[in-house]
Amino acid sequence: QVQLVESGGGLVQVGGSLRLSCKVTGTFFGVNTMWWYRQAPGKQQEWVTVMTPGGTINYADSVKGRFTSSRDVASATVFLQMNSLVPEDTGVYFCHAQVAPYSDKVYQSYWGRGTQVTVSS
């Protein structure tokens, strides 16, 4: 069964850094686009970054210049390096991916369970 497993969250002070990772596990036949989203307490979920299989990466304006995402295709893992963190970055960070669970290579949508990031002032 396909799962997205996030790790790397934690508590950090303002200005600090964290590196999140998300690995696709289980049996699958391809991984397409992958995203990071986040949800702050009491707020709607928001998109953070998107990575296409072709290497295109886009970021939300709120994280541009501070966050860097990368992708290791061989291990089906994406990373989110978060620098210069501010309290507004606090929230649960979720990995989202289009994964083909069967040999017909029809992509389905999967979400991780999230990892908590807390930035203290």
Side-chain angles (χ1 to χ4, degrees):
Q1 183 176 0
V2 174
Q3 289 186 318
L4 304 186
V5 181
E6 302 116 330
S7 61
L11 174 64
V12 65
Q13 291 187 332
V14 170
S17 299
L18 284 173
R19 188 181 191 228
L20 307 183
S21 65
C22 170
K23 183 175 177 61
V24 183
T25 65
T27 300
F28 55 93
F29 293 84
V31 181
N32 201 3
T33 302
M34 300 186 75
W35 298 258
W36 284 100
Y37 284 79
R38 67 185 181 186
Q39 187 165 20
K43 294 188 176 181
Q44 288 188 327
Q45 190 180 67
E46 66 171 340
W47 164 77
V48 177
T49 181
V50 59
M51 294 155 281
T52 71
T56 299
I57 302 176
N58 288 307
Y59 300 93
D61 288 343
S62 58
V63 306
K64 276 181 183 176
R66 301 186 299 120
F67 290 12
T68 303
S69 56
S70 59
R71 181 169 181 168
D72 181 354
V73 175
S75 66
T77 304
V78 293
F79 305 93
L80 184 64
Q81 178 65 44
M82 306 185 295
N83 298 328
S84 302
L85 286 162
V86 297
E88 292 73 24
D89 294 319
T90 295
V92 180
Y93 283 69
F94 297 91
C95 181
H96 174 42
Q98 294 173 323
V99 183
Y102 307 111
S103 58
D104 61 4
K105 297 192 176 181
V106 173
Y107 290 105
Q108 298 184 16
S109 178
Y110 292 87
W111 289 86
R113 300 183 69 174
T115 184
Q116 176 70 45
V117 170
T118 303
V119 183
S120 65
S121 56

